[in-house]
Amino acid sequence: MSELFDAIDALVASRSPLPPPAERKRLRQAHGLTLEEVATTLDVRRATVGAWESGRTEPRPPQREPYAHLLKQLARLYPSPTATEGGTPPATPAATAPPVIPAVVEVAPSAPVAAVAAPVQASPVPAPATPPPSPAAAPRPARGSRRPGTPRAAANSPAPAGSGVYAHGPLLVLDADDERQVTGYGTGGLLLDVPAGSLPSLVEWALSEARVGAEKLHASGKDGDPLLVLTAAACERYGLPVTLSDAERSAGRLPEGHQVIKLLERAGWKLTRRGLGPWARIYRPVTGGRRQCVQLCIPSWNALDDRAWGHAATLEPAELARVLGVYAHRVMTPVGSTAVSGLELMTALNPPTRASEPDSDGKRHSEHRPGSLGTQALDPAPCEAVDGHPVLAHLPRFHTRGPEERLFEEAYDWARDLTDAECMQSHLVGIDVNLAFGAAANGAVVGLDAPPEHVTGPVFDPAVPGSWLVDLSHVDLSRVKVAKQWRDLEGGLLPSPFTPTGVQPEGPAWYATPTVAYAVELGYDVTPLEAWLRPRSGRFLDGWYKRLRDAYVATMADLKVAEKLPPGEFLKAMDGYKGRDPELGIVVDAVKMTVKGGIGKLQEKARGGGWVPGQAWPALARPTWRPDIRAAVISRARVNMHRKMIALAAATGRYPVAVLSDCAVYTADGPSPLDVLPYDADGKTVPGSFRLGVSPGMVKHEGTQDVLWGVEVLEQLAAEGKVANLARYIKTGEVTARDTGE
């Protein structure tokens, strides 16, 4: 008889009443519990708890009773704001049964919590009276949940009228629960059921039913391919390893004989040369003018490098969808690392071809688009080529090129000892230029689609991009023109603007056009010996800069750091700004790395153990392999930095003690940048010098340390025979073991 009563108790427990899904999530969050903590306690997967909170599935025995008990305990601690005085109303049978989900797409975020989802109506959906919110402003749904009142979108639901072919946004983050049900998390809190049971069928679904992708960024460009981000659980669901083995990680891909790759091949899908790795492109050859391509991103394979994406790989799917979605809407759908995306963005905004006018038969053809880099890769001038390039194959094997043979346009890495007067001051203050390389790219005139022309004994023309062999050793930094006025300065306290090390050049060397133009600006004559010039030129990077600038400024505004703030208010707004929304903080860093990485990718070097100097490597086949453009941008960034330092020195007598790329360190009698930069009562500072603000080219506070700290670091590294650049450590004050050689 006791067994019968036990069976009855178990039957009752199997239907333990539960609050509605939205209330389950509220109670968990009110107590500060994570999905992981609840899942570990109940011995289920994190995705399973998320599914319970979204109403997608319901708990089953033996977890249902303890889960109901947990929620009951939490309800006593955190009564619902809408509950009656007698306590939280009991759950109705409708609340405990699995919900019936109509085939609809997401509704407006302002729908009330208690709203009941209605099926899609046949009548057209009227256009909203106000523009949709920015992707950053959209609510951040918890993993496995949706916004209150927002119904789940079924995989085969029709798109709302006027929503376009990419109604569900540029990407989906796919996650699987214990029952192997896959859910796609989109931008704006969208949820999609994913019916595909294999990777080939997933690719087919993404192209035919998912309505995922992005509109082209230029009329002559192409649409962005759908991006599918696979969580660890989704990898398991589709037969992929959660992590790569050491050999696979070294190769950067799965072996060609892997069963999933065989499935793709049997279904007629192809992989690009980089194979099935952290970022994979799966495609079929274009047929009938229709492009069929899907991008995969696998965070557990280190697709989201923490140097650019911070902790994005550890985010829950809905949060990761928000981060990548904001980036996709404001920059572009990621297609690889931020460096790869930065380079691809250049082509997306400035395509190499366009459709011609109709011919006699009424047909259009692909033709070169003026102002672009074209479709053919160009060999660099010998002075612009990196070591090992095929154009240098005639040089002896171990030949080392000096500045008279090679163009050395790199970012600053310069430092000096403190003067006695500087040692008497109390603080070292670092200021950092926002998006320095982006600001330098804006307005840069670069060579386009023609090879460089060699000229002997040219007359310098600042309007012609190229590389010039010229002697700038005669430029005296103790007497220069500042704003067209001759000024006397302490030349020994300033870095040379002509070398990355800040050391004065000793003879002829190769320079990009902006560097030589700056020597003329400082008031000195130049006489080039020879040059490699590119008369066919244009401002190729202007659109690229504007896109990234707008993305950066808009995201900073979402973090409450607006443009045109007074200096003091700007510094307050910057204090802890990433903590206001850590997910948007990730986007800010990704945008910055897109700028820096995109410029660096213009001179991608050979990688892999099989490469031999003098042999071409894959990057050389790209029209965007352009070390001359990279050199011009870095030259402009370094010159911009020096111009600001000279203007500040001429006005205040302050000189930098260290410069590292876009960061300069000054001594001051206080810890704030306002103790370095002179601002008057009207908020104006020295024209042409550093200005505090969020816009690219303006500066922010990088960090402050005591002068005594700086002296100790200098002495410590000097004792080891090293030159310390205080700008490298000013942010944290930590000198790593790598820097000390320990």
Side-chain angles (χ1 to χ4, degrees), residues 88-112:
T88 303
T92 63
T96 62
V100 177
I101 303 172
V104 294
V105 294
E106 77 173 306
V107 298
S110 58

Side-chain angles (χ1 to χ4, degrees), residues 173-174 228-232 235 242-243 278-279 296-305 312-315 320 324:
V173 178
L174 306 186
L228 303 179
V229 184
L230 306 184
T231 65
C235 285
V242 172
T243 58
W279 289 93
L296 292 187
C297 169
I298 306 178
S300 61
W301 294 6
N302 199 33
L304 301 176
D305 189 339
T314 66
L315 293 176
L320 180 56
L324 295 178

Side-chain angles (χ1 to χ4, degrees), residues 325-556:
V326 173
Y327 182 91
H329 283 288
R330 291 181 173 172
V331 181
M332 69 176 296
T333 305
V335 294
S337 66
T338 49
V340 171
S341 297
L343 194 69
E344 290 288 327
L345 182 63
M346 295 179 192
T347 303
L349 292 168
N350 207 330
T353 60
R354 67 181 180 186
S356 67
E357 293 297 324
D359 60 16
S360 57
D361 296 327
K363 295 183 179 180
R364 295 180 183 270
H365 305 277
S366 178
E367 66 177 14
H368 170 68
R369 189 179 152 274
S372 72
L373 298 185
T375 59
Q376 299 298 317
L378 301 176
D379 279 339
C383 63
E384 297 164 351
V386 297
D387 291 337
H389 193 282
V391 302
L392 304 176
H394 63 284
L395 294 178
R397 184 175 180 183
F398 297 106
H399 178 71
T400 301
R401 295 184 295 159
E404 72 285 354
E405 293 181 273
R406 181 181 174 183
L407 181 69
F408 285 97
E409 292 287 9
E410 302 293 343
Y412 265 131
D413 188 349
W414 168 86
R416 63 172 175 82
D417 290 331
L418 277 64
T419 65
D420 291 345
E422 289 168 340
C423 288
M424 297 302 293
Q425 295 187 286
S426 58
H427 291 86
L428 290 161
V429 181
I431 52 177
D432 182 79
V433 180
N434 302 316
L435 257 58
F437 294 121
N442 185 35
V445 178
V446 300
L448 295 178
D449 58 326
E453 302 173 3
H454 185 252
V455 183
T456 302
V459 176
F460 177 67
D461 184 348
V464 178
S467 300
W468 308 77
L469 181 62
V470 60
D471 188 351
L472 299 180
S473 60
H474 63 290
V475 177
D476 182 7
L477 294 180
S478 64
R479 182 164 177 77
V480 296
K481 279 187 176 180
V482 180
K484 299 182 179 181
Q485 298 291 325
W486 283 100
R487 300 294 298 268
D488 293 324
L489 302 174
E490 292 287 341
L493 300 182
L494 284 166
S496 168
F498 310 127
T499 63
T501 60
V503 177
Q504 186 74 0
E506 297 179 352
W510 285 99
Y511 302 100
T513 297
T515 302
V516 185
Y518 186 56
V520 176
E521 180 184 325
L522 293 177
Y524 292 86
D525 295 329
V526 297
T527 308
L529 304 176
E530 59 178 298
W532 288 90
L533 304 179
R534 292 176 168 82
R536 191 184 301 176
S537 60
R539 295 168 60 159
F540 171 73
L541 294 172
D542 277 10
W544 182 82
Y545 159 76
K546 185 178 185 304
R547 178 89 177 168
L548 290 164
R549 179 233 179 250
D550 291 349
Y552 177 76
V553 170
T555 309
M556 291 296 289

Side-chain angles (χ1 to χ4, degrees), residues 412-417 495 500-502 656-660 714 723-727:
Y412 265 131
D413 188 349
W414 168 86
R416 63 172 175 82
D417 290 331
T501 60
V657 299
V659 184
L660 183 66
L714 292 173
V723 178
N725 188 326
L726 296 178

Side-chain angles (χ1 to χ4, degrees), residues 170-174 198-206 225-231 234-235 238 240 254 260-261 264 270-272 274-283 293-299 301-304 324 333-337:
L171 58 90
L172 292 173
V173 178
L174 306 186
S198 66
L199 194 57
S201 62
L202 175 64
V203 175
E204 295 274 9
W205 172 82
D225 298 320
L227 174 64
L228 303 179
V229 184
L230 306 184
T231 65
C235 285
Y238 291 116
L240 296 170
L254 291 181
V260 173
I261 297 179
L264 289 170
K270 296 179 179 294
L271 292 163
T272 58
R274 63 183 175 184
L276 186 48
W279 289 93
R281 182 172 292 172
I282 304 173
Y283 71 99
C293 184
V294 172
Q295 297 272 351
L296 292 187
C297 169
I298 306 178
W301 294 6
N302 199 33
L304 301 176
L324 295 178
T333 305
V335 294
S337 66

